[in-house]
Amino acid sequence: MENNIILTGDRPTGKLHIGHYVGSLKKRVEMQNTGKYTPYIMIADQQALTDNARDPEKIKNSLIQVALDYLAVGLDPKKSTIFVQSQIPALAELNLYYLNLVTVSRLERNPTVKAEIQQKNFERSIPAGFFTYPVSQTADITAFKAKYVPVGDDQEPMLEQAREIVRSFNSIYGEVLVEPEGVFPKKGSGRLPGLDGNAKMSKSLGNCIYLSDDADTLKKKVMSMYTDPNHIHVEDPGQVEGNMVFAYLDIFDSDKEHVADLKERYQDGGLGDVKIKRYLNEVLEAELGPIRKRRAEFEKDIPAVYQMLKDGSDKANEVANQTLEEVRAAIGVNYFDILK
Ligand code: TRP
């Protein structure tokens, strides 16, 4: 039987933004809707705690926001198992066995973790749980025997490490685990820059459009976007490179011919920023309006959203416990099986 299992997830540290949407959520929904896959979507609250241990309230509040964002973009609990990491005890035990299969120096070489350590100014006070989160992520993936992991480009080192752990495990204890592969966004459509022109849209930089932003907020944000600081008069020729309005149009507007035409007119001079921003706002509203509407519907019944997460977690537990049993048997820590 072909393995079409997908696992992916997000840290609940805030509401999801349109960078998450183009970088990963959209792809997940597409894959889900082909009907060819068995998707597991995890809210990684334990991973979020690795660098937020002193702010559990933030994680708790964000959990429901992320669940709402998932439902809003079209993840469907009938087609995808949506669950919560902390409710799956098998993941923690798998993590414990896998930790013995990596070295500290290998963990130190993970470029994404390295960058995060710098960005968060951890210096020498790195929480050990944070430092080892790629191992816990391997537990998340392998517990479901997932083959495909749709994630942003920054997660490639995690998959590399996951494959190494899987290979070590399988060669020492026998073939139990599945080697996962990443599914990355198409080149050029991957990373959405921030409203301010920063290469990354990120909550900490305050340059995001959230999936939950209302129409007015969206419009205000679009009108404040970074364009070409030297394009002062409408008739001046404008720069398209580094201009966020065009960066966003390239990603969100399917009418490529129209975008090419706008770029030409902008570069020639005579096309004003307000005009192109109004147009971008229309394009974004067409995509985000329906998402916002669905979110508002789900918001009316929050207990139902928790129930959905619980049902998903119950299902996820069955699968993860089965894998854990196989792992225990492979390692040989299933002593009492002889009593069965
Ligand atoms: N690291 C991912 C993020 O930063 C979240 C995550 C946790 C994840 N476990 C995972 C992603 C397993 C894919 C597979 O958002």
Side-chain angles (χ1 to χ4, degrees):
M1 202 182 66
E2 205 185 338
N3 179 341
N4 278 331
I5 300 169
I6 294 178
L7 180 122
T8 187
D10 300 277
R11 296 179 198 175
T13 54
K15 296 184 285 192
L16 299 181
H17 54 65
I18 63 172
H20 295 117
Y21 180 63
V22 296
S24 159
L25 293 173
K26 213 171 165 175
K27 180 94 204 169
R28 288 183 211 173
V29 175
E30 273 167 28
M31 290 177 92
Q32 165 195 275
N33 290 340
T34 63
K36 289 187 193 145
Y37 299 94
T38 306
Y40 291 90
I41 315 286
M42 182 183 78
I43 305 185
D45 58 338
Q46 288 177 325
Q47 189 176 109
L49 282 165
T50 64
D51 64 330
N52 288 283
R54 285 167 181 77
D55 197 359
E57 210 45 39
K58 175 167 97 182
I59 310 307
K60 191 175 175 184
N61 295 333
S62 303
L63 183 98
I64 191 74
Q65 295 301 329
V66 170
L68 286 165
D69 286 329
Y70 281 173
L71 295 168
V73 297
L75 287 175
D76 177 352
K78 288 198 204 79
K79 301 176 186 162
S80 296
T81 304
I82 304 173
F83 69 98
V84 182
Q85 186 181 32
S86 62
Q87 306 308 303
I88 317 299
L91 299 178
E93 187 171 333
L94 290 174
N95 180 37
L96 193 67
Y97 299 128
Y98 298 168
L99 278 167
N100 304 324
L101 303 176
V102 285
T103 62
V104 170
S105 67
R106 174 63 183 90
L107 286 165
E108 272 170 347
R109 284 201 307 275
N110 185 309
T112 299
V113 175
K114 244 189 193 165
E116 283 175 299
I117 286 170
Q118 271 210 335
Q119 191 197 327
K120 294 172 204 289
N121 290 320
F122 279 147
E123 289 166 22
R124 291 294 304 155
S125 45
I126 309 162
F130 180 81
F131 184 62
T132 58
Y133 89 72
V135 182
S136 137
Q137 196 155 320
T138 303
D140 305 336
I141 296 168
T142 55
F144 300 91
K145 305 212 168 145
K147 177 81 198 158
Y148 303 109
V149 184
V151 278
D153 294 323
D154 63 326
Q155 297 292 305
E156 173 58 22
M158 307 306 159
L159 284 147
E160 196 67 40
Q161 253 183 317
R163 284 191 289 270
E164 285 174 29
I165 293 170
V166 167
R167 277 184 228 125
S168 299
F169 186 100
N170 286 348
S171 76
I172 300 166
Y173 304 116
E175 291 283 327
V176 175
L177 306 177
V178 174
E179 270 190 51
E181 57 187 74
V183 181
F184 300 101
K186 280 199 291 287
K187 284 261 173 307
S189 70
R191 173 150 285 178
L192 190 70
L195 292 167
D196 56 357
N198 193 296
K200 195 177 170 188
M201 179 171 279
S202 124
K203 185 168 33 87
S204 51
L205 297 171
N207 61 5
C208 303
I209 294 173
Y210 292 98
L211 289 168
S212 47
D213 280 346
D214 62 30
D216 275 351
T217 307
L218 171 65
K219 188 160 187 196
K220 269 196 204 109
K221 287 183 176 176
V222 170
M223 296 318 277
S224 77
M225 272 173 108
Y226 180 83
T227 57
D228 170 6
N230 298 316
H231 186 238
I232 298 164
H233 306 291
V234 173
E235 44 313 340
D236 293 342
Q239 279 256 20
V240 164
E241 294 79 38
N243 184 321
M244 291 307 106
V245 174
F246 289 104
Y248 282 41
L249 284 175
D250 279 337
I251 292 177
F252 285 97
D253 193 354
S254 50
D255 190 349
K256 300 295 168 214
E257 253 173 67
H258 185 56
V259 175
D261 181 52
L262 285 178
K263 282 183 181 170
E264 217 177 283
R265 283 168 53 203
Y266 192 80
Q267 283 166 322
D268 286 347
L271 181 58
D273 277 9
V274 171
K275 251 201 177 134
I276 55 165
K277 283 177 170 173
R278 284 215 180 109
Y279 176 65
L280 173 63
N281 184 57
E282 275 170 33
V283 169
L284 288 177
E285 183 57 33
E287 183 126 13
L288 301 178
I291 293 176
R292 187 190 306 132
K293 233 181 171 162
R294 265 201 305 266
R295 202 180 195 280
E297 280 306 306
F298 287 111
E299 268 174 18
K300 288 183 191 157
D301 193 355
I302 296 293
V305 179
Y306 279 111
Q307 186 64 51
M308 177 280 289
L309 291 175
K310 181 173 186 297
D311 294 344
S313 299
D314 287 346
K315 232 167 110 187
N317 262 319
E318 276 179 37
V319 179
N321 285 337
Q322 170 63 34
T323 302
L324 178 61
E325 234 176 81
E326 291 169 35
V327 161
R328 284 171 155 243
I331 300 175
V333 292
N334 58 335
Y335 314 110
F336 303 141
D337 278 5
I338 60 156
L339 304 177
K340 276 185 191 163

